[in-house]
Amino acid sequence: MARVFVYGTLKKGQPNYKHMINTAKGLAKFQGRGRTVEKYPLVIAGKYNIPYMLNIPGTGHHVAGEIYSVDEQMLQFLDEFEGCPDMYQRTLMRIQVVEWEGKGSAEEARAAADGVLECFVYSTATYPPEWVGLPYYDSYDSSGKHGLAYVLRESR
């Protein structure tokens, strides 16, 4: 099992969460909520209003999201879904645990108690330079005050 931190449309209550609970795509078990230890710019960009975490450590906000434990099948699905490695790159990042529900190994529980876990995160280093000038968010909600409606893949 691998740990994945999601900050956009794959979170609970967001348009693509359905994929996280579709066991035909693999297993994803919600472990808790967290935020990036380092600051990153989280922007909403492109004609489909997709949330992107730009891989520019030290700029932006501590981005909030959810921590999942996923099996190899789900990790492969997420790589494909996220257009990895072209659109997003899957990298390890340090995530500060905000709230932990996970039931896992003693090692995981200790790590969560220490407050910081290493998780895979889909961020991008391949983006148009003008995205750096977009507003930065500390959390994403597809129906947030930003007014930028996310366009589902099936509607594109």
Side-chain angles (χ1 to χ4, degrees):
M1 301 289 277
R3 271 193 297 270
V4 174
F5 175 77
V6 298
Y7 56 84
T9 65
L10 290 167
K11 295 186 308 184
K12 289 180 181 180
Q14 297 304 307
N16 289 317
Y17 177 67
K18 61 188 177 221
H19 300 299
M20 297 299 284
I21 56 174
N22 182 347
T23 54
K25 294 180 169 135
L27 197 64
K29 197 167 74 174
F30 177 77
Q31 299 285 280
R33 294 182 311 105
R35 64 189 190 117
T36 58
V37 169
E38 289 196 74
K39 293 179 177 182
Y40 290 92
L42 172 59
V43 300
I44 302 170
K47 62 181 178 180
Y48 303 121
N49 295 319
I50 296 171
Y52 292 93
M53 185 189 302
L54 307 183
N55 198 344
I56 310 172
T59 301
H61 301 285
H62 299 284
V63 177
E66 298 173 348
I67 302 163
Y68 288 84
S69 183
V70 301
D71 66 6
E72 188 60 34
Q73 183 185 349
M74 179 59 78
L75 194 59
Q76 285 179 357
F77 166 78
L78 290 172
D79 278 356
E80 194 174 299
F81 182 79
E82 299 290 12
C84 186
D86 301 322
M87 190 159 110
Y88 291 94
Q89 296 80 48
R90 175 168 43 99
T91 55
L92 278 173
M93 287 186 189
R94 291 169 4 107
I95 302 299
Q96 174 77 48
V97 176
V98 174
E99 183 183 307
W100 188 253
E101 292 183 15
K103 294 167 180 62
S105 68
E107 178 191 332
E108 263 189 339
R110 260 195 316 280
D114 290 343
V116 176
L117 295 171
E118 286 234 311
C119 299
F120 284 121
V121 180
Y122 293 92
S123 64
T124 186
T126 53
Y127 51 85
E130 60 270 18
W131 286 10
V132 177
L134 293 171
Y136 298 165
Y137 300 93
D138 61 356
S139 69
Y140 175 79
D141 183 336
S142 61
S143 57
K145 293 180 196 152
H146 50 72
L148 301 167
Y150 173 76
V151 180
L152 285 166
R153 285 182 186 198
E154 44 273 23
S155 304
R156 295 179 193 167

